[in-house]
């Protein structure tokens, strides 16, 4: 990837001198941008292009260029790419359009290009793209206009037109960039690759995405979840309405539309989504110019009452208010403002506000600890020069510790002042509403960080799953060519995974129903069982509160007569009998639907016959823990009711969390379950129970390797039991997010020396961010095992070892931490050896680590396992390396 963004030499294939051509613009932009490396035009019809020597083919260039830009017709691209591979060029940008977006012929050309680079290590951006810009390297490898300013904001866009808009707008607002990437059709390099790369680049502080679709979603989720912890990622996802909700056999399938799934995925990754191009750029300006807000407390300074109200109203749309004013700050403002000022926030400093008044109020707000951001609003007033105010403010905000931004409202009269603010890196917005919304998107990112650092609590009970029963049931259905399971079959599968269901029996006649009822507690509910009728209540197929034999016979007759009348061709299996749970406190809809891109998607919301009308639901992606399950519930309008309302007792929220976790595990284990609907899940006396259920099956192509998921689940198959050198029984397993308390206990038994050896600094306490970093890992890109003492009644963590993979998947960095009481007993070797074996299975080739020279325990352990030990760049450190291709593990 580095050859694409930090090349020492660039070849432009298709370069020419024709005014207005792409080949000419590419060469001109490289020259005008000040690229310091060598520029090689390639065109057999020219001896020189823009005064530079031209080559007939890239093979003639010695040494081979790092980067090749192809601007010839798409049909020539496969052959040119093969030449690049043979010559040793490692980065390729294909500007040419006409790939798969043009039809079958273009798709075949892209396949040929892909085949040309397969296994070579060459990376490709495009085709059908604008190119790449790196202001810090004076690299403008696009056919767009002038070089933008240098900054810390990276932009990735699928649309070249959106790129040109942002670049033009950025020039007006004085917004700078670290990277600007148009990725086009994403034949090779995609969003996941770029997020990984930019996340490891220190010059990038935040990332903006314009997205139309995703490829390799699991890689994208993995990269985004890692990088969003340390850098804001803001996305504008276009195409919200083109797909909508797909027709499905269950309520769940009908309510889980494509765009809602993207929303759920972005939330899970910690990405902030914006709804429009204007808001994307508003966020870009604030991110590029100001520090991120530590919280949501906004101070609003205005010289007009109306604009201040507009700002407060926008906060109210998001359930917020302007920050409360501390008494100390109020007293300071009373001393400098007229007696008739607003005496609150928004701080209305009145229409006759002078430059000095603006400055004095801002000075007080900047010094206050009660605010996390300041919005300054100015409307045109005859007594105040906007440019003078702007100049004064630019001098003050240089010492800012939180974002300061402005809404200078007006047109021609404000233009000069707005330019002054932009040049001083103070974001400006046309209206207070836009300014507040940009601030709140940054607040959302801050909240995301807090959520990502929270420790999920453990469930109070251990979970057991009867996988064998579900496996047999599903494959018996396949053998019988059944894909839509009956209520009875569905509930048996749910019960095997510990999901609470009520007793349900199948009756094929009225006499059988009466006989079965004698063994059940009255009253009963009777429901139609038919693979062809999805919504039973719509055809009178649900009869409730049946108390005797006469009720049962009449109900059976009503169900059958109505079903045969409305659906004469429908297959009718019989009726289900189950206890009638009268007057439930709540009715919920809980289920799962398989999205063609994201795999299984979980749903939680209000249920019953009005589920689709109410449309009160939240989506989530498996795997879940208690914290993630609770967040799903918090996104629904029914949660406040579930906490208890008037005569309705509260639901047992932990039981609901557990139900969602069990459902998550079921669809993880069985990709054959493509739709699952529990509607309603009745909550009565606090306890949930699924009183109706429906499961749809389809044969899976992913097998048991969890390839149907976009987030790697906990790898339970890697758990193992072992003994230390002193015969202490160990339970070695991958780390879990719920292990944070155990990790704190381990940290507390470490000596200051051990802490220094591991962290290379003095660490007295573990912050939530550090705890999350160690325990909430991505199992696709990190390997981490803990050793637990099996002799203890309460779990005790004795040590941890991990390997963090680099983006290419070929290299990784290891670390080991063993509690002082257990060092030297062989635990470290057991853990690290397990990590190395898994790393080799995943195709990793080199594992390395850095240790302090005085850490003799770690050096000895590494030598024992076959690491080579070399002096590091610093004489106080050693670098340990092992080649997994040849290591004997």
């Amino acid at each position: 990837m580095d050859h694409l963004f930090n090349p020492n030499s660039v070849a432009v294939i298709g370069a020419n001198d024709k005014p207005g051509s792409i080949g000419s613009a590419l060469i001109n932009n490289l020259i005008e941008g000040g690229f310091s490396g060598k520029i090689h035009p390639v065109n057999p019809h020219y001896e020189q292009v823009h005064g530079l020597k031209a080559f007939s083919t890239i093979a003639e260039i010695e040494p081979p260029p790092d980067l090749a830009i192809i601007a010839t017709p798409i049909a020539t691209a496969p052959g040119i790419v093969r030449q690049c591979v043979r010559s040793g060029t490692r980065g390729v940008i294909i500007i040419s359009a006409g790939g798969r977006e043009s039809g079958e012929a273009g798709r075949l050309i892209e396949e040929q290009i892909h085949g040309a680079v397969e296994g070579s290590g060459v990376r490709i951006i495009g085709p059908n793209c604008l190119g790449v810009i790196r202001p810090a390297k004076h690299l403008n490898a696009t056919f767009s206009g002038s070089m933008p300013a240098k900054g810390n904001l990276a932009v990735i866009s699928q649309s070249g037109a959106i790129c040109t808009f942002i670049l033009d707008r950025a020039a007006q607002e004085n917004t700078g960039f670290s990277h600007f990437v148009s990725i086009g059709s994403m034949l090779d390099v995609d969003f996941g690759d770029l997020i990984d790369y930019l996340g490891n680049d220190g010059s990038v502080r935040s990332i903006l995405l314009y997205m139309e679709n995703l490829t390799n979603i699991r890689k994208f989720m993995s990269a985004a979840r890692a990088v969003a912890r340390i850098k804001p990622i803001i996305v504008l996802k276009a195409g919200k309405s083109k797909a909508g909700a797909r027709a499905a056999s269950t309520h769940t399938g009908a309510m889980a539309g494509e765009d809602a799934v993207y929303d759920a995925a972005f939330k899970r990754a910690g990405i902030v989504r914006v709804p429009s191009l204007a808001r994307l750029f508003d966020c870009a300006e604030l991110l590029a110019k100001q520090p991120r807000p530590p919280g949501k407390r906004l101070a609003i300074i205005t010289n007009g009452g109306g604009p201040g109200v507009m700002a407060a109203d926008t906060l109210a749309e998001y359930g917020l208010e302007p920050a409360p004013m501390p008494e100390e700050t109020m007293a300071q403002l009373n001393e400098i403002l007229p007696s008739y000022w607003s005496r609150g926030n928004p701080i209305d400093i009145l229409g006759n506000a002078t430059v000095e008044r603006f400055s004095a109020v801002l000075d007080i707000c900047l010094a206050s600890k009660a605010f996390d951001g300041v919005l300054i609003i100015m409307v045109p007033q005859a007594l105040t020069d906007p440019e003078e105010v702007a100049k004064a403010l630019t001098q003050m905000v240089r010492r800012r510790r939180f974002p300061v931004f402005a809404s200078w409202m007006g047109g021609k009269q404000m233009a000069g002042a707005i330019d002054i603010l932009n040049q001083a890196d103070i974001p400006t917005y046309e209206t207070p509403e836009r300014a507040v919304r940009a601030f709140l998107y940054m607040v959302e990112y801050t909240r995301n960080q807090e959520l990502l650092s929270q420790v999920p609590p453990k469930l109070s009970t251990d979970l057991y799953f009867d996988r064998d029963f579900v496996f047999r049931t599903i494959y018996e259905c396949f053998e019988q060519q059944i894909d839509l399971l009956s209520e009875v079959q569905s509930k048996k599968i749910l019960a095997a995974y510990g999901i609470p269901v009520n007793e349900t029996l199948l009756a094929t006649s009225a006499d059988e129903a009466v006989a079965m009822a004698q063994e059940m507690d009255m009253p009963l509910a009777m429901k139609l069982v038919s693979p062809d009728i999805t919504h039973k209540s719509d055809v009178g197929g649900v009869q409730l509160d049946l108390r005797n034999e006469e009720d049962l016979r009449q109900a059976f007759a009503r169900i059958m007569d109505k079903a045969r009348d409305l659906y004469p061709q429908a297959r009718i299996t019989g009726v289900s009998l189950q206890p009638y749970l009268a007057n439930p406190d709540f009715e919920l809809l809980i289920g799962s639907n398989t999205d063609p891109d994201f795999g299984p998607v979980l749903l939680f919301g209000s249920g019953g016959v009005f589920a689709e009308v109410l449309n009160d639901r939240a989506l989530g992606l498996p795997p879940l823990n208690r914290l993630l399950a609770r967040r799903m519930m918090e996104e629904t309008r029914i949660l406040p009711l579930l906490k208890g309302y008037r005569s309705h007792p509260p639901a047992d929220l932990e039981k609901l969390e557990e139900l969602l976790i069990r459902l998550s595990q079921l669809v993880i284990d069985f990709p054959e379950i493509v739709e699952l609907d529990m509607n309603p899940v009745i909550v009565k006396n606090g306890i949930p129970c699924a009183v109706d259920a429906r499961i749809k099956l389809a044969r899976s192509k992913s097998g048991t390797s969890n390839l149907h998921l976009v987030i790697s689940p906990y790898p339970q198959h890697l758990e193992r039991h072992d003994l230390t050198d002193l015969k202490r029984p160990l339970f070695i397993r991958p780390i879990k997010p719920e292990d944070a308390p155990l990790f704190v206990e381990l940290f507390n038994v470490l000596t200051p020396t051990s802490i220094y050896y591991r962290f290379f600094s003095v660490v007295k306490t573990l912050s939530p961010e550090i705890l999350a970093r160690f325990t909430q890992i991505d199992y696709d890109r990190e390997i981490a095992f803990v050793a637990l003492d099996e002799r203890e009644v309460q779990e005790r963590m004795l040590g941890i070892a991990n390997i963090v993979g680099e983006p290419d998947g070929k290299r990784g960095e290891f670390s080991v931490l063993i509690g002082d009481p257990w060092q030297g007993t062989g635990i470290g070797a057991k853990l690290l050896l397990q990590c190395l074996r898994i790393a080799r299975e995943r195709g990793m080739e080199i594992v390395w680590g850095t240790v302090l020279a005085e850490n003799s325990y770690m050096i000895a352990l590494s030598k024992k396992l076959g690491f080579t030990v070399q002096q590091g760049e610093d004489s106080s450190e050693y670098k340990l390396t092992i080649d997994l291709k040849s290591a004997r593990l």
Side-chain angles (χ1 to χ4, degrees):
M1 292 284 285
D2 224 32
H3 293 86
L4 294 165
F5 298 105
N6 297 297
N8 293 314
S9 56
V10 179
V12 179
I13 302 164
N16 60 69
D17 283 325
K18 297 176 185 177
S21 71
I22 291 177
S24 177
L26 285 165
I27 286 287
N28 186 66
N29 285 344
L30 287 167
I31 295 171
E32 294 295 322
F35 180 61
S36 58
K38 292 189 176 182
I39 304 170
H40 304 292
V42 177
N43 192 322
H45 304 295
Y46 287 80
E47 292 185 359
Q48 283 192 336
V49 175
H50 286 268
L52 299 173
K53 178 186 176 182
F55 296 85
S56 295
T57 68
I58 194 171
E60 297 177 7
I61 304 171
E62 288 292 343
D66 294 327
L67 173 64
I69 308 172
I70 299 175
T72 59
I74 190 73
T76 66
I80 294 172
V81 170
R82 288 190 196 94
Q83 293 176 16
C84 293
V85 172
R86 286 196 295 265
S87 68
T89 295
R90 303 302 298 276
V92 176
I93 298 173
I94 303 178
I95 304 293
S96 322
R100 62 178 177 267
E101 75 278 1
S102 65
E104 180 63 17
R107 187 188 65 80
L108 291 173
I109 291 173
E110 288 197 10
E111 285 186 3
Q112 292 170 15
I113 295 170
H114 190 273
V117 299
E118 193 168 11
S120 68
V122 173
R123 301 308 307 267
I124 297 176
I125 288 179
N128 190 21
C129 71
L130 187 70
V132 168
I133 302 177
R134 281 280 278 124
K137 299 294 183 180
H138 304 285
L139 174 69
N140 184 355
T142 74
F143 57 92
S144 182
S146 59
M147 177 79 73
K150 177 184 174 183
N152 50 42
L153 179 67
V155 176
I156 311 169
S157 172
Q158 274 182 280
S159 166
I162 298 299
C163 288
T164 55
F165 162 78
I166 294 176
L167 286 169
D168 189 57
R169 182 69 180 271
Q172 178 184 334
E173 301 289 341
N174 192 41
T175 301
F177 301 99
S178 62
H179 299 72
F180 208 98
V181 190
S182 165
I183 55 175
S185 300
M186 298 188 293
L187 180 148
D188 173 31
V189 173
D190 58 17
F191 283 105
D193 293 314
L194 289 169
I195 289 171
D196 254 332
Y197 180 81
L198 298 171
N200 285 284
D201 189 318
S203 69
V204 178
R205 200 168 73 181
S206 48
I207 302 171
L208 247 63
L209 311 176
Y210 172 80
M211 179 187 297
E212 293 171 357
N213 68 293
L214 277 173
T215 59
N216 202 330
I217 295 177
R218 182 154 168 163
K219 179 172 65 175
F220 168 82
M221 290 296 293
S222 178
R225 290 172 64 218
V227 174
R229 289 182 179 275
I230 54 175
K231 300 179 182 183
I233 302 177
I234 313 295
V235 63
L236 170 58
K237 166 65 175 68
K240 292 184 68 170
S241 61
K242 68 178 182 180
R246 295 177 174 83
S249 302
T250 64
H251 291 279
T252 306
M255 295 178 68
E258 179 188 78
D259 194 65
V261 180
Y262 271 96
D263 264 341
F266 293 148
K267 288 175 185 175
R268 182 65 175 271
I271 295 174
V272 175
R273 182 177 186 178
V274 297
S276 67
L277 198 54
R279 294 195 194 178
L280 181 71
F281 197 86
D282 288 347
C283 283
E285 191 175 4
L286 194 55
L287 279 170
K289 296 179 178 180
Q290 294 286 308
R292 296 195 292 274
K296 60 188 177 184
R297 302 171 302 170
L298 181 64
I300 303 166
I301 303 171
T302 176
N303 69 337
V309 173
M310 292 163 64
D313 284 348
T314 305
L315 285 171
E317 289 177 19
Y318 294 84
L320 300 174
E321 294 182 356
M325 188 82 70
E327 292 184 8
E328 179 185 358
T329 305
M330 184 78 76
Q332 292 173 317
L333 292 171
N334 281 333
E335 292 181 6
I336 62 170
L337 293 174
S339 59
Y340 47 93
W341 76 283
S342 62
R343 297 183 183 278
N345 186 16
I347 305 168
D348 185 354
I349 62 176
L350 309 172
N352 62 355
T354 61
V355 174
E356 291 74 21
R357 192 182 298 172
F358 266 104
S359 299
V361 172
L362 178 59
D363 189 54
I364 290 171
C365 290
L366 289 175
S368 174
K369 296 182 179 179
F371 305 127
D372 300 311
V374 176
L375 167 61
I376 309 165
I377 304 172
M378 186 176 188
V379 295
Q381 300 285 0
L383 300 178
T384 312
D385 182 349
E387 293 189 21
E388 291 301 315
V389 175
K391 289 176 182 176
L393 299 184
T394 58
Q395 299 300 314
M396 300 180 64
V397 300
R398 289 177 179 171
R399 61 179 186 272
R400 63 189 182 275
R401 57 182 174 83
F402 48 59
V404 178
F405 50 107
S407 177
W408 248 232
M409 302 176 67
K412 185 176 180 181
Q413 187 177 344
M414 292 294 191
I418 290 172
D419 186 59
I420 292 170
L421 293 170
N422 283 333
Q423 294 301 319
D425 283 347
I426 299 176
T428 58
Y429 301 93
E430 294 175 352
T431 65
E433 295 98 328
R434 287 181 63 174
V436 170
R437 288 191 181 103
F439 172 76
L440 291 179
Y441 285 126
M442 297 302 95
V443 170
E444 183 181 341
Y445 173 74
T446 300
R447 180 175 180 272
N448 285 348
Q449 300 311 100
E450 294 172 354
L451 292 175
L452 290 172
S453 298
Q454 289 181 2
V455 177
K458 289 186 176 181
L459 287 166
S460 55
T461 58
D462 293 330
L463 302 185
Y464 169 76
F465 309 111
D466 191 347
R467 293 180 173 87
D468 290 340
F469 173 83
V470 177
F471 180 86
R472 290 195 305 271
T473 301
I474 288 176
Y475 281 90
E476 284 172 5
C477 289
F478 284 151
E479 288 175 0
Q480 300 169 27
Q481 297 185 333
I482 297 173
D483 61 357
L484 195 58
L485 275 59
S486 70
E487 178 184 1
V488 175
Q489 292 170 311
S490 299
K491 284 183 174 178
K492 286 181 178 178
I493 286 179
L494 297 178
Y497 265 64
I499 295 172
V501 297
N502 59 344
E503 180 189 10
T504 304
L505 301 177
L506 176 65
T508 58
S509 67
D511 289 340
E512 192 174 3
V514 170
M516 288 180 175
Q518 295 176 357
E519 305 299 323
M520 303 176 73
D521 294 330
M522 296 287 188
L524 299 177
M526 181 184 292
K527 292 185 283 189
L528 174 69
V529 177
S530 169
D532 300 322
I533 301 175
T534 300
H535 302 305
K536 297 181 285 290
S537 56
D538 292 352
V539 297
V542 179
Q543 300 291 313
L544 305 175
D545 200 14
L546 310 178
R547 296 178 175 271
N548 51 49
E549 179 179 338
E550 183 179 355
D551 286 351
L552 290 165
R553 293 188 180 278
Q554 290 179 356
F556 187 91
R558 284 194 296 269
I559 289 174
M560 292 301 167
D561 291 345
K562 192 73 173 287
R564 288 172 181 144
D565 181 45
L566 294 176
Y567 293 92
Q569 305 301 321
R571 294 167 293 170
I572 298 176
T573 307
V575 297
S576 66
L577 279 180
Q578 54 196 269
Y580 172 52
L581 301 178
N583 302 315
D585 298 316
F586 309 102
E587 289 185 297
L588 302 173
L589 166 60
I590 301 176
S592 172
N593 183 50
T594 299
D595 181 89
D597 297 319
F598 287 88
V601 181
L602 306 174
L603 182 146
F604 175 93
S606 300
V609 294
F610 300 117
E612 288 158 318
V613 177
L614 295 172
N615 197 29
D616 175 30
R617 50 95 175 109
L619 303 182
L621 299 176
L624 292 185
N625 53 40
R626 283 190 65 187
L627 189 61
L628 294 170
R630 178 62 66 93
R631 286 181 199 162
M632 281 183 65
M633 295 159 59
E634 288 171 349
E635 292 178 28
T636 62
R637 297 189 298 276
I638 198 172
L639 180 64
L641 303 179
L642 293 172
K643 292 180 176 178
Y645 182 74
R646 293 187 177 177
S647 61
H648 294 283
D652 187 328
L653 296 183
E654 183 179 345
K655 289 292 185 185
L656 287 173
E657 293 165 3
E658 180 184 328
L659 193 158
L660 283 168
I661 293 169
R662 290 180 180 275
L663 172 62
S664 168
Q665 192 62 50
L666 177 60
V667 296
I668 287 171
D669 291 343
F670 294 98
E672 297 85 0
I673 297 176
V674 294
E675 287 183 26
L676 188 155
D677 184 278
M678 292 181 278
N679 184 37
V681 172
I682 280 179
V683 179
K684 188 167 184 178
N685 299 323
I687 306 302
C689 178
V691 300
D692 203 352
R694 196 174 181 89
I695 290 175
K696 184 177 181 180
L697 303 175
R699 291 189 182 273
S700 171
K701 297 178 182 178
S702 64
T704 58
S705 58
N706 293 323
L707 295 179
H708 64 303
L709 304 170
V710 295
I711 298 174
S712 181
Y714 174 78
Q716 187 175 15
H717 65 284
L718 297 180
E719 296 178 347
R720 58 190 288 262
H721 300 271
D722 209 330
L723 295 171
T724 68
D725 294 346
L726 301 179
K727 305 304 179 184
R728 178 195 295 265
L730 296 177
F731 180 36
I732 295 176
R733 62 162 171 80
I735 199 164
K736 300 178 181 179
E738 296 87 349
D739 286 335
L742 298 180
F743 189 79
V744 172
E745 292 176 7
L746 172 63
F747 180 83
N748 289 337
V749 303
L750 297 173
T751 63
T753 300
S754 292
I755 293 172
Y756 189 77
Y757 284 169
R758 173 59 187 86
F759 295 98
F760 285 46
S761 62
V762 177
V763 178
K764 294 185 177 180
T765 58
L766 295 173
S767 68
E769 292 75 19
I770 292 178
L771 273 177
R773 173 67 191 84
F774 271 94
T775 59
Q776 299 183 31
I777 71 168
D778 184 331
Y779 296 113
D780 273 347
R781 64 175 52 218
E782 187 168 351
I783 301 163
F785 282 89
V786 296
L788 305 178
D789 190 338
E790 286 205 302
R791 297 182 305 184
E792 299 280 348
V793 176
Q794 295 291 329
E795 285 188 319
R796 176 187 286 241
M797 186 183 295
L798 308 180
I800 177 174
N802 69 343
I803 298 176
V804 181
E806 296 179 9
D808 64 0
K810 300 298 183 184
R811 292 172 54 87
E813 181 181 7
F814 84 92
S815 64
V816 178
L817 179 65
I818 306 299
D820 282 76
W822 311 291
Q823 290 179 9
T825 63
I827 296 174
K830 298 281 187 184
L831 288 172
L832 184 52
L833 191 60
Q834 176 75 344
C835 288
L836 293 172
R837 286 169 175 163
I838 301 303
R840 183 160 65 182
E841 286 178 13
R842 295 184 180 180
M844 197 173 289
E845 298 174 358
I846 300 294
V847 172
W848 62 277
T850 303
V851 301
L852 295 172
E854 60 265 36
N855 189 353
S856 56
Y857 163 75
M858 194 65 242
I859 293 171
L861 171 61
S862 300
K863 287 181 177 178
K864 176 183 177 181
L865 295 179
F867 282 78
T868 60
V869 180
Q870 295 178 316
Q871 185 77 49
E873 295 180 5
D874 188 321
S875 60
S876 64
E877 298 175 354
Y878 283 102
K879 185 171 183 179
L880 314 177
T881 307
I882 189 169
D883 186 339
L884 296 181
K885 299 189 299 296
S886 57
R888 299 179 63 183
L889 301 178

